[in-house]
Short mmCIF file of all heavy atoms in Angstrom, two decimals:
data_model
loop_
_atom_site.label_atom_id
_atom_site.label_comp_id
_atom_site.label_asym_id
_atom_site.label_seq_id
_atom_site.Cartn_x
_atom_site.Cartn_y
_atom_site.Cartn_z
N LEU A 582 -5.34 -13.07 -3.95
CA LEU A 582 -4.18 -13.91 -3.93
C LEU A 582 -3.95 -14.64 -5.24
O LEU A 582 -2.83 -14.86 -5.66
CB LEU A 582 -4.31 -14.92 -2.80
CG LEU A 582 -4.06 -14.45 -1.37
CD1 LEU A 582 -4.46 -15.49 -0.35
CD2 LEU A 582 -2.60 -14.05 -1.21
N LEU A 583 -5.05 -15.02 -5.90
CA LEU A 583 -4.93 -15.65 -7.18
C LEU A 583 -4.57 -14.69 -8.30
O LEU A 583 -4.08 -15.11 -9.36
CB LEU A 583 -6.27 -16.36 -7.56
CG LEU A 583 -6.63 -17.61 -6.72
CD1 LEU A 583 -8.03 -18.12 -7.08
CD2 LEU A 583 -5.59 -18.70 -6.97
N GLY A 584 -4.79 -13.41 -8.09
CA GLY A 584 -4.46 -12.43 -9.10
C GLY A 584 -5.77 -11.81 -9.61
O GLY A 584 -6.26 -12.23 -10.67
N GLU A 585 -6.32 -10.89 -8.88
CA GLU A 585 -7.60 -10.26 -9.26
C GLU A 585 -7.45 -9.46 -10.54
O GLU A 585 -6.57 -8.62 -10.67
CB GLU A 585 -8.11 -9.35 -8.13
CG GLU A 585 -9.37 -8.62 -8.42
CD GLU A 585 -10.62 -9.46 -8.18
OE1 GLU A 585 -10.47 -10.70 -8.05
OE2 GLU A 585 -11.72 -8.91 -8.10
N SER A 586 -8.32 -9.72 -11.50
CA SER A 586 -8.30 -8.96 -12.75
C SER A 586 -8.82 -7.57 -12.50
O SER A 586 -9.73 -7.39 -11.68
CB SER A 586 -9.11 -9.69 -13.81
OG SER A 586 -10.46 -9.77 -13.40
N THR A 587 -8.30 -6.62 -13.21
CA THR A 587 -8.72 -5.25 -13.04
C THR A 587 -9.92 -4.97 -13.94
O THR A 587 -10.22 -5.73 -14.86
CB THR A 587 -7.60 -4.27 -13.35
OG1 THR A 587 -7.15 -4.51 -14.69
CG2 THR A 587 -6.46 -4.45 -12.40
N SER A 588 -10.61 -3.89 -13.69
CA SER A 588 -11.85 -3.61 -14.40
C SER A 588 -11.57 -2.85 -15.71
O SER A 588 -10.49 -2.28 -15.91
CB SER A 588 -12.72 -2.73 -13.51
OG SER A 588 -12.12 -1.41 -13.41
N PRO A 589 -12.55 -2.83 -16.59
CA PRO A 589 -12.46 -2.02 -17.82
C PRO A 589 -12.19 -0.56 -17.51
O PRO A 589 -11.47 0.14 -18.25
CB PRO A 589 -13.78 -2.23 -18.52
CG PRO A 589 -14.25 -3.58 -18.02
CD PRO A 589 -13.78 -3.66 -16.59
N GLU A 590 -12.81 -0.08 -16.38
CA GLU A 590 -12.60 1.35 -16.06
C GLU A 590 -11.16 1.62 -15.71
O GLU A 590 -10.58 2.66 -16.09
CB GLU A 590 -13.49 1.73 -14.84
CG GLU A 590 -14.97 1.74 -15.15
CD GLU A 590 -15.60 0.36 -14.92
OE1 GLU A 590 -14.89 -0.60 -14.69
OE2 GLU A 590 -16.86 0.31 -14.98
N LEU A 591 -10.54 0.74 -14.97
CA LEU A 591 -9.15 0.91 -14.59
C LEU A 591 -8.27 0.81 -15.83
O LEU A 591 -7.37 1.66 -16.04
CB LEU A 591 -8.73 -0.18 -13.57
CG LEU A 591 -7.23 -0.30 -13.28
CD1 LEU A 591 -6.68 1.03 -12.81
CD2 LEU A 591 -6.98 -1.39 -12.28
N GLU A 592 -8.49 -0.17 -16.67
CA GLU A 592 -7.69 -0.33 -17.87
C GLU A 592 -7.85 0.89 -18.79
O GLU A 592 -6.86 1.36 -19.41
CB GLU A 592 -8.08 -1.59 -18.64
CG GLU A 592 -7.76 -2.87 -17.87
CD GLU A 592 -8.15 -4.11 -18.64
OE1 GLU A 592 -8.73 -3.98 -19.74
OE2 GLU A 592 -7.93 -5.21 -18.09
N ASN A 593 -9.05 1.41 -18.85
CA ASN A 593 -9.27 2.59 -19.70
C ASN A 593 -8.54 3.80 -19.14
O ASN A 593 -7.93 4.57 -19.89
CB ASN A 593 -10.81 2.91 -19.74
CG ASN A 593 -11.12 3.96 -20.75
OD1 ASN A 593 -10.93 3.79 -21.95
ND2 ASN A 593 -11.65 5.12 -20.30
N ALA A 594 -8.50 3.94 -17.81
CA ALA A 594 -7.82 5.07 -17.22
C ALA A 594 -6.28 4.99 -17.46
O ALA A 594 -5.64 6.00 -17.80
CB ALA A 594 -8.08 5.11 -15.70
N VAL A 595 -5.73 3.78 -17.31
CA VAL A 595 -4.30 3.64 -17.58
C VAL A 595 -3.98 3.78 -19.05
O VAL A 595 -2.93 4.30 -19.43
CB VAL A 595 -3.82 2.25 -17.04
CG1 VAL A 595 -2.37 2.00 -17.39
CG2 VAL A 595 -4.03 2.17 -15.50
N LEU A 596 -4.89 3.30 -19.91
CA LEU A 596 -4.67 3.48 -21.36
C LEU A 596 -4.64 4.94 -21.73
O LEU A 596 -3.81 5.39 -22.50
CB LEU A 596 -5.79 2.76 -22.11
CG LEU A 596 -5.76 2.87 -23.64
CD1 LEU A 596 -4.45 2.30 -24.18
CD2 LEU A 596 -6.96 2.16 -24.24
N VAL A 597 -5.52 5.74 -21.14
CA VAL A 597 -5.54 7.18 -21.35
C VAL A 597 -4.23 7.80 -20.88
O VAL A 597 -3.64 8.67 -21.56
CB VAL A 597 -6.73 7.84 -20.64
CG1 VAL A 597 -6.59 9.36 -20.66
CG2 VAL A 597 -8.02 7.41 -21.28
N GLU A 598 -3.76 7.32 -19.73
CA GLU A 598 -2.48 7.82 -19.21
C GLU A 598 -1.32 7.52 -20.17
O GLU A 598 -0.49 8.36 -20.41
CB GLU A 598 -2.26 7.18 -17.83
CG GLU A 598 -0.83 7.25 -17.29
CD GLU A 598 -0.42 8.69 -16.98
OE1 GLU A 598 -1.26 9.56 -16.96
OE2 GLU A 598 0.80 8.88 -16.78
N LEU A 599 -1.28 6.30 -20.65
CA LEU A 599 -0.18 5.91 -21.55
C LEU A 599 -0.22 6.71 -22.84
O LEU A 599 0.80 7.26 -23.32
CB LEU A 599 -0.29 4.43 -21.88
CG LEU A 599 0.27 3.46 -20.83
CD1 LEU A 599 -0.13 2.03 -21.15
CD2 LEU A 599 1.77 3.55 -20.73
N LEU A 600 -1.43 6.85 -23.43
CA LEU A 600 -1.55 7.58 -24.69
C LEU A 600 -1.34 9.05 -24.50
O LEU A 600 -1.05 9.78 -25.47
CB LEU A 600 -2.94 7.32 -25.28
CG LEU A 600 -3.19 5.90 -25.79
CD1 LEU A 600 -4.62 5.72 -26.24
CD2 LEU A 600 -2.23 5.57 -26.97
N GLY A 601 -1.46 9.56 -23.29
CA GLY A 601 -1.23 10.96 -23.03
C GLY A 601 0.26 11.34 -22.95
O GLY A 601 0.60 12.50 -22.92
N ARG A 602 1.12 10.34 -22.96
CA ARG A 602 2.54 10.62 -22.92
C ARG A 602 3.08 10.89 -24.34
O ARG A 602 2.75 10.16 -25.27
CB ARG A 602 3.32 9.44 -22.28
CG ARG A 602 2.93 9.26 -20.83
CD ARG A 602 3.55 8.04 -20.21
NE ARG A 602 3.14 7.95 -18.81
CZ ARG A 602 3.81 8.50 -17.82
NH1 ARG A 602 4.91 9.17 -18.04
NH2 ARG A 602 3.35 8.40 -16.55
N PRO A 603 3.88 11.93 -24.47
CA PRO A 603 4.33 12.30 -25.86
C PRO A 603 5.20 11.23 -26.54
O PRO A 603 5.24 11.20 -27.77
CB PRO A 603 5.18 13.60 -25.57
CG PRO A 603 5.57 13.49 -24.14
CD PRO A 603 4.43 12.82 -23.46
N GLN A 604 5.79 10.32 -25.76
CA GLN A 604 6.64 9.30 -26.37
C GLN A 604 5.82 8.15 -27.00
O GLN A 604 6.32 7.40 -27.82
CB GLN A 604 7.61 8.69 -25.36
CG GLN A 604 8.45 9.70 -24.60
CD GLN A 604 7.84 9.98 -23.24
OE1 GLN A 604 6.62 10.18 -23.14
NE2 GLN A 604 8.68 10.01 -22.22
N VAL A 605 4.56 8.03 -26.58
CA VAL A 605 3.75 6.88 -26.99
C VAL A 605 2.76 7.24 -28.06
O VAL A 605 1.95 8.16 -27.92
CB VAL A 605 2.96 6.28 -25.76
CG1 VAL A 605 2.09 5.11 -26.23
CG2 VAL A 605 3.93 5.86 -24.70
N GLU A 606 2.89 6.54 -29.21
CA GLU A 606 1.96 6.83 -30.32
C GLU A 606 0.70 5.99 -30.24
O GLU A 606 -0.40 6.45 -30.48
CB GLU A 606 2.67 6.54 -31.65
CG GLU A 606 1.81 6.85 -32.87
CD GLU A 606 2.59 6.74 -34.17
OE1 GLU A 606 3.76 7.21 -34.19
OE2 GLU A 606 2.06 6.16 -35.13
N ARG A 607 0.84 4.70 -29.88
CA ARG A 607 -0.30 3.82 -29.73
C ARG A 607 0.02 2.70 -28.77
O ARG A 607 1.22 2.40 -28.48
CB ARG A 607 -0.77 3.28 -31.06
CG ARG A 607 0.19 2.31 -31.75
CD ARG A 607 -0.19 2.03 -33.19
NE ARG A 607 0.66 0.98 -33.74
CZ ARG A 607 0.23 -0.27 -34.02
NH1 ARG A 607 -1.03 -0.59 -33.73
NH2 ARG A 607 1.04 -1.17 -34.50
N VAL A 608 -1.00 2.05 -28.25
CA VAL A 608 -0.89 0.90 -27.34
C VAL A 608 -1.70 -0.23 -27.95
O VAL A 608 -2.83 -0.08 -28.34
CB VAL A 608 -1.46 1.23 -25.95
CG1 VAL A 608 -1.33 0.04 -25.03
CG2 VAL A 608 -0.70 2.42 -25.33
N THR A 609 -1.06 -1.43 -28.05
CA THR A 609 -1.73 -2.57 -28.63
C THR A 609 -2.03 -3.69 -27.62
O THR A 609 -2.80 -4.61 -27.92
CB THR A 609 -0.91 -3.14 -29.77
OG1 THR A 609 0.37 -3.57 -29.27
CG2 THR A 609 -0.70 -2.11 -30.90
N TYR A 610 -1.45 -3.62 -26.46
CA TYR A 610 -1.71 -4.63 -25.43
C TYR A 610 -1.51 -4.02 -24.08
O TYR A 610 -0.60 -3.18 -23.86
CB TYR A 610 -0.70 -5.78 -25.60
CG TYR A 610 -0.79 -6.83 -24.48
CD1 TYR A 610 -1.76 -7.80 -24.46
CD2 TYR A 610 0.14 -6.80 -23.43
CE1 TYR A 610 -1.83 -8.73 -23.43
CE2 TYR A 610 0.07 -7.71 -22.39
CZ TYR A 610 -0.93 -8.69 -22.40
OH TYR A 610 -1.00 -9.62 -21.35
N LEU A 611 -2.40 -4.37 -23.16
CA LEU A 611 -2.33 -3.83 -21.78
C LEU A 611 -2.79 -4.87 -20.79
O LEU A 611 -3.87 -5.44 -20.91
CB LEU A 611 -3.21 -2.59 -21.67
CG LEU A 611 -3.24 -1.88 -20.29
CD1 LEU A 611 -1.84 -1.41 -19.89
CD2 LEU A 611 -4.24 -0.73 -20.30
N HIS A 612 -1.94 -5.16 -19.80
CA HIS A 612 -2.28 -6.10 -18.76
C HIS A 612 -2.01 -5.45 -17.44
O HIS A 612 -0.92 -4.92 -17.20
CB HIS A 612 -1.46 -7.39 -18.90
CG HIS A 612 -1.55 -8.31 -17.70
ND1 HIS A 612 -2.63 -9.13 -17.51
CD2 HIS A 612 -0.74 -8.45 -16.65
CE1 HIS A 612 -2.49 -9.82 -16.40
NE2 HIS A 612 -1.35 -9.42 -15.84
N LEU A 613 -3.00 -5.49 -16.54
CA LEU A 613 -2.88 -4.96 -15.18
C LEU A 613 -3.27 -6.02 -14.18
O LEU A 613 -4.30 -6.70 -14.36
CB LEU A 613 -3.76 -3.70 -15.01
CG LEU A 613 -3.43 -2.51 -15.88
CD1 LEU A 613 -4.54 -1.49 -15.80
CD2 LEU A 613 -2.12 -1.89 -15.46
N GLU A 614 -2.48 -6.17 -13.14
CA GLU A 614 -2.80 -7.18 -12.11
C GLU A 614 -2.40 -6.63 -10.75
O GLU A 614 -1.30 -6.07 -10.59
CB GLU A 614 -1.99 -8.46 -12.41
CG GLU A 614 -2.22 -9.57 -11.40
CD GLU A 614 -1.38 -10.79 -11.72
OE1 GLU A 614 -1.12 -11.00 -12.93
OE2 GLU A 614 -1.00 -11.51 -10.80
N PHE A 615 -3.29 -6.82 -9.78
CA PHE A 615 -2.98 -6.35 -8.43
C PHE A 615 -1.96 -7.26 -7.78
O PHE A 615 -2.10 -8.48 -7.76
CB PHE A 615 -4.24 -6.28 -7.59
CG PHE A 615 -5.07 -5.07 -7.86
CD1 PHE A 615 -6.15 -5.11 -8.66
CD2 PHE A 615 -4.70 -3.84 -7.29
CE1 PHE A 615 -6.88 -3.98 -8.94
CE2 PHE A 615 -5.42 -2.69 -7.55
CZ PHE A 615 -6.52 -2.76 -8.41
N VAL A 616 -0.93 -6.67 -7.17
CA VAL A 616 0.07 -7.38 -6.47
C VAL A 616 0.10 -6.98 -4.99
O VAL A 616 1.02 -7.32 -4.24
CB VAL A 616 1.47 -7.19 -7.09
CG1 VAL A 616 1.55 -7.82 -8.46
CG2 VAL A 616 1.85 -5.72 -7.15
N GLY A 617 -0.93 -6.25 -4.57
CA GLY A 617 -1.10 -5.80 -3.21
C GLY A 617 -2.10 -4.66 -3.18
O GLY A 617 -2.60 -4.25 -4.21
N PRO A 618 -2.44 -4.22 -1.97
CA PRO A 618 -3.37 -3.12 -1.86
C PRO A 618 -2.89 -1.89 -2.62
O PRO A 618 -1.81 -1.35 -2.36
CB PRO A 618 -3.43 -2.83 -0.35
CG PRO A 618 -3.03 -4.13 0.28
CD PRO A 618 -1.99 -4.70 -0.66
N SER A 619 -3.66 -1.47 -3.59
CA SER A 619 -3.39 -0.24 -4.36
C SER A 619 -2.09 -0.33 -5.18
O SER A 619 -1.59 0.65 -5.63
CB SER A 619 -3.27 0.96 -3.42
OG SER A 619 -4.35 1.00 -2.54
N ARG A 620 -1.61 -1.54 -5.40
CA ARG A 620 -0.38 -1.72 -6.15
C ARG A 620 -0.64 -2.66 -7.33
O ARG A 620 -1.19 -3.75 -7.17
CB ARG A 620 0.73 -2.32 -5.29
CG ARG A 620 1.03 -1.52 -4.03
CD ARG A 620 1.75 -0.23 -4.38
NE ARG A 620 3.07 -0.43 -4.90
CZ ARG A 620 3.87 0.58 -5.30
NH1 ARG A 620 3.43 1.83 -5.29
NH2 ARG A 620 5.07 0.34 -5.78
N VAL A 621 -0.25 -2.21 -8.54
CA VAL A 621 -0.49 -3.01 -9.72
C VAL A 621 0.81 -3.29 -10.48
O VAL A 621 1.77 -2.54 -10.40
CB VAL A 621 -1.51 -2.32 -10.67
CG1 VAL A 621 -2.86 -2.21 -10.03
CG2 VAL A 621 -0.99 -0.95 -11.14
N TYR A 622 0.77 -4.38 -11.19
CA TYR A 622 1.83 -4.79 -12.10
C TYR A 622 1.32 -4.48 -13.51
O TYR A 622 0.27 -4.98 -13.90
CB TYR A 622 2.16 -6.26 -11.90
CG TYR A 622 3.16 -6.84 -12.88
CD1 TYR A 622 4.41 -6.25 -13.04
CD2 TYR A 622 2.87 -7.98 -13.57
CE1 TYR A 622 5.32 -6.78 -13.93
CE2 TYR A 622 3.76 -8.55 -14.48
CZ TYR A 622 5.00 -7.94 -14.65
OH TYR A 622 5.91 -8.48 -15.49
N LEU A 623 2.07 -3.69 -14.26
CA LEU A 623 1.61 -3.24 -15.55
C LEU A 623 2.53 -3.78 -16.64
O LEU A 623 3.74 -3.68 -16.59
CB LEU A 623 1.62 -1.71 -15.57
CG LEU A 623 1.11 -0.99 -16.85
CD1 LEU A 623 0.64 0.44 -16.44
CD2 LEU A 623 2.14 -0.88 -17.96
N VAL A 624 1.88 -4.40 -17.68
CA VAL A 624 2.61 -4.87 -18.86
C VAL A 624 1.86 -4.30 -20.06
O VAL A 624 0.65 -4.42 -20.15
CB VAL A 624 2.64 -6.40 -18.94
CG1 VAL A 624 3.38 -6.83 -20.20
CG2 VAL A 624 3.32 -7.01 -17.73
N ALA A 625 2.61 -3.70 -20.99
CA ALA A 625 1.97 -3.08 -22.15
C ALA A 625 2.88 -3.21 -23.38
O ALA A 625 4.11 -3.20 -23.27
CB ALA A 625 1.63 -1.61 -21.89
N ALA A 626 2.26 -3.30 -24.54
CA ALA A 626 2.96 -3.25 -25.81
C ALA A 626 2.61 -1.90 -26.44
O ALA A 626 1.43 -1.58 -26.62
CB ALA A 626 2.53 -4.37 -26.72
N VAL A 627 3.64 -1.13 -26.74
CA VAL A 627 3.44 0.24 -27.25
C VAL A 627 4.24 0.48 -28.52
O VAL A 627 5.20 -0.22 -28.82
CB VAL A 627 3.83 1.29 -26.20
CG1 VAL A 627 3.04 1.10 -24.91
CG2 VAL A 627 5.32 1.23 -25.93
N ASP A 628 3.76 1.45 -29.29
CA ASP A 628 4.48 1.91 -30.46
C ASP A 628 4.93 3.32 -30.15
O ASP A 628 4.10 4.20 -29.90
CB ASP A 628 3.59 1.86 -31.70
CG ASP A 628 4.34 2.12 -32.99
OD1 ASP A 628 5.59 2.19 -32.91
OD2 ASP A 628 3.70 2.23 -34.04
N LEU A 629 6.24 3.56 -30.17
CA LEU A 629 6.76 4.86 -29.81
C LEU A 629 6.72 5.81 -31.03
O LEU A 629 6.76 5.35 -32.18
CB LEU A 629 8.20 4.76 -29.28
CG LEU A 629 8.37 3.93 -28.00
CD1 LEU A 629 9.83 3.89 -27.60
CD2 LEU A 629 7.54 4.52 -26.85
#
Side-chain angles (χ1 to χ4, degrees):
L582 282 171
L583 288 175
E585 178 81 345
S586 61
T587 57
S588 70
E590 293 89 350
L591 170 57
E592 293 180 0
N593 190 63
V595 175
L596 179 59
V597 170
E598 163 66 13
L599 281 168
L600 292 173
R602 294 174 180 270
Q604 307 98 316
V605 178
E606 182 173 317
R607 67 192 188 107
V608 179
T609 59
Y610 173 80
L611 179 62
H612 170 79
L613 297 168
E614 179 181 331
F615 280 99
V616 293
S619 312
R620 303 290 291 178
V621 295
Y622 174 54
L623 184 156
V624 179
V627 302
D628 190 5
L629 298 179

